[in-house]
C-alpha cells in the first residue's frame, strides 16, 4: 500500500517561532488532509489539500502532488499549537482508504 | 448535531473478556471507520464500512469484528480481549464524494481509551 512519511517526528518550539512540517507519500493521491490532535486526544481537520496552497490564520499548507509531498507551516506558534499533526492521503489507484503518517509531535514552550 | 459519538470513553478489561465499542454519526455519512492509535504508530485502520450492510478489513483486523447496524451506527467488537489490544480507538465517518475529483473530509469521534490487563 501507499507509504506516508512525516518529518520531523518531534519538534520543540519557542512560542512565537515558525516551523515547517513535511509529509512525503509514495504514490499518486486524490486526497490529502492534515489533522491536529490536541493534548486531550481530539482530532481536528485542518486542511483538505490534494494540491496547491491554502491558508487558515497562522497555519498554511502546500501540496506539490507531482513531487508527492505536502508541507504544513505554523507561523508565530502558540502553546495551543502543541499536539500531534497527522497527514493522511487517499491513493488515486487501488483501495480508496485514507492512509495516515505516524505524525509530527509538536511542543510549544512559553 | 453531535457529529460522531463514541461510547464508552474509557474501559478496562481483563484478558479474555469481550466488549463492544459503539459509534454513531448524525451527519448522514455513508462511510464509517474504526482506527486504533498506538504510541509512535499513528492511526491504523481496523475495519471500514463504505455503506450500510457492507464492511471490509483494514490493516489490523485480527481479533476484531464489526457490524454496520444501519447508516448511523458502526460497532466494533472484541470477542476475547488481549493485552495487545490496549490502545485508543477512534471511530470516523465521511460522506462519499460523487466524483473522484472531490475530496473527503473525515470527522472523528472523541476516542475510547481501552486497557486490557
Amino acid at each position: 500500500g501507499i507509504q506516508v512519511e512525516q518529518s520531523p517526528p518531534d519538534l520543540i518550539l519557542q512560542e512565537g517561532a515558525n516551523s515547517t512540517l513535511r509529509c512525503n507519500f509514495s504514490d499518486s493521491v486524490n486526497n490529502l488532509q492534515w489533522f491536529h490532535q490536541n493534548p486531550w486526544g481530539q482530532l481536528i481537520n485542518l486542511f483538505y489539500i490534494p494540491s496547491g496552497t491554502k491558508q487558515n490564520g497562522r497555519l498554511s499548507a502546500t501540496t506539490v502532488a507531482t513531487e508527492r509531498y505536502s508541507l504544513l507551516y505554523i507561523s508565530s506558534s502558540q502553546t495551543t499549537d502543541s499536539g500531534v499533526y497527522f497527514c493522511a492521503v487517499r491513493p488515486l489507484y487501488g483501495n480508496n482508504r485514507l492512509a495516515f503518517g505516524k505524525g509530527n509531535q509538536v511542543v510549544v514552550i512559553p | 448535531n453531535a457529529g460522531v459519538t463514541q461510547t464508552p470513553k474509557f474501559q478496562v478489561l481483563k484478558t479474555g473478556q469481550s466488549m463492544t465499542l459503539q459509534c454513531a454519526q448524525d451527519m448522514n455519512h455513508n462511510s464509517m471507520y474504526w482506527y486504533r492509535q498506538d504510541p509512535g504508530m499513528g492511526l491504523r485502520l481496523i475495519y471500514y464500512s463504505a455503506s450500510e450492510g457492507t464492511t471490509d478489513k483494514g490493516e489490523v483486523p485480527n481479533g476484531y469484528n464489526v457490524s454496520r447496524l444501519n447508516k448511523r451506527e458502526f460497532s466494533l467488537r472484541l470477542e476475547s480481549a488481549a493485552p495487545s489490544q490496549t490502545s485508543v480507538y477512534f471511530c470516523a465517518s465521511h460522506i462519499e464524494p460523487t466524483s473522484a475529483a472531490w475530496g473527503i473530509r473525515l470527522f472523528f469521534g472523541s476516542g475510547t481509551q481501552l486497557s486490557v490487563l
Side-chain angles (χ1 to χ4, degrees):
Chain A
I2 193 168
Q3 303 299 311
V4 184
E5 293 184 4
Q6 293 184 240
S7 59
D10 301 286
L11 188 62
I12 299 175
L13 295 171
Q14 196 76 45
E15 195 169 29
N18 303 328
S19 67
T20 302
L21 309 179
R22 186 177 180 106
C23 172
N24 291 334
F25 42 95
S26 59
D27 288 305
S28 298
V29 301
N30 63 5
N31 196 103
L32 188 146
Q33 291 179 268
W34 283 97
F35 296 87
H36 177 225
Q37 186 172 39
N38 64 26
W40 295 270
Q42 191 177 13
L43 281 153
I44 306 294
N45 272 292
L46 294 177
F47 293 101
Y48 160 68
I49 185 163
S51 64
T53 297
K54 289 187 178 178
Q55 180 150 8
N56 185 2
R58 296 179 297 99
L59 300 181
S60 64
T62 295
T63 297
V64 183
T66 52
E67 297 186 23
R68 299 182 181 169
Y69 72 88
S70 182
L71 302 173
L72 179 69
Y73 305 97
I74 306 173
S75 64
S76 304
S77 58
Q78 299 177 358
T79 55
T80 51
D81 295 329
S82 295
V84 184
Y85 291 81
F86 288 104
C87 170
V89 302
R90 183 163 158 169
L92 186 60
Y93 307 108
N95 73 66
N96 60 357
R97 309 162 211 163
L98 276 178
F100 283 79
K102 294 183 179 179
N104 308 95
Q105 173 89 53
V106 174
V107 176
V108 181
I109 54 177
Chain B
N1 286 346
V4 180
T5 304
Q6 281 182 243
T7 55
K9 292 192 183 301
F10 302 95
Q11 184 71 48
V12 179
L13 294 176
K14 294 181 180 178
T15 297
Q17 286 186 313
S18 62
M19 79 159 296
T20 300
L21 280 64
Q22 306 286 354
C23 176
Q25 50 87 13
D26 61 3
M27 297 173 283
N28 203 34
H29 286 172
N30 308 96
S31 298
M32 297 185 74
Y33 301 77
W34 276 105
Y35 289 92
R36 60 178 287 174
Q37 184 179 21
D38 303 292
M41 299 294 290
L43 284 96
R44 293 183 293 170
L45 182 64
I46 305 171
Y47 270 94
Y48 77 102
S49 170
S51 62
E52 183 180 349
T54 67
T55 62
D56 208 346
K57 295 178 181 179
E59 298 174 68
V60 288
N62 291 344
Y64 305 96
N65 286 303
V66 290
S67 295
R68 184 73 182 269
L69 305 170
N70 47 55
K71 194 171 186 179
R72 289 187 65 247
E73 298 171 291
F74 188 39
S75 61
L76 178 72
R77 183 160 178 84
L78 287 71
E79 290 290 352
S80 179
S84 60
Q85 294 177 304
T86 294
S87 188
V88 180
Y89 292 84
F90 287 96
C91 177
S93 72
H94 69 78
I95 196 162
E96 197 61 35
T98 55
S99 166
W102 286 77
I104 61 173
R105 187 180 176 189
L106 202 61
F107 291 83
F108 282 92
S110 57
T112 298
Q113 189 153 348
L114 175 67
S115 295
V116 183
L117 306 178

